[in-house]
Amino acid sequence: MIYKLISEKRIKRFSGWWQEGDTIYTNAEAERRALKTGEWHHLVVDEQPEYNPETQYLDYHYELVGDTIHQRFTVKEIEE
């Protein structure tokens, strides 16, 4: 599956079809054509770090690295 990076906190999943003129492509051909535009990318979810759920939580953000979107995690302290 491929995605478009919308913002640091948001991505959009590819619909599965691609239209060029009057022709609609589906499946692997649709993804191939979408990837060629440079707007759509494969997603890699990084491994979640260990954290203490009683005092910490995981935050995330998306980052474009080369031609791949990475979902990165950061451990944050829970504020009292």
Side-chain angles (χ1 to χ4, degrees), residues 32-79:
R32 188 183 70 74
R33 289 175 181 269
L35 286 167
K36 282 177 58 175
T37 68
E39 294 180 17
W40 297 89
H41 309 278
H42 291 282
L43 175 66
V44 173
V45 178
D46 292 355
E47 187 173 323
Q48 294 182 358
E50 291 186 23
Y51 68 103
N52 180 346
E54 293 181 14
T55 60
Q56 300 172 318
Y57 68 97
L58 284 181
D59 194 11
Y60 72 92
H61 71 278
Y62 297 104
E63 182 179 319
L64 188 60
V65 179
D67 61 352
T68 306
I69 297 171
H70 285 258
Q71 183 179 24
R72 308 248 191 232
F73 297 96
T74 306
V75 176
K76 302 245 179 158
E77 298 297 322
I78 297 174
E79 296 179 15

Side-chain angles (χ1 to χ4, degrees), residues 4-12 60-62 69:
K4 181 187 279 190
L5 182 64
I6 304 299
S7 71
E8 184 178 271
K9 292 285 188 183
R10 196 168 138 218
I11 57 175
K12 178 180 178 180
Y60 72 92
H61 71 278
Y62 297 104
I69 297 171

Side-chain angles (χ1 to χ4, degrees), residues 18-30:
W18 188 260
Q19 184 171 355
E20 289 182 9
D22 292 336
T23 305
I24 295 178
Y25 300 93
T26 59
N27 303 324
E29 182 61 21

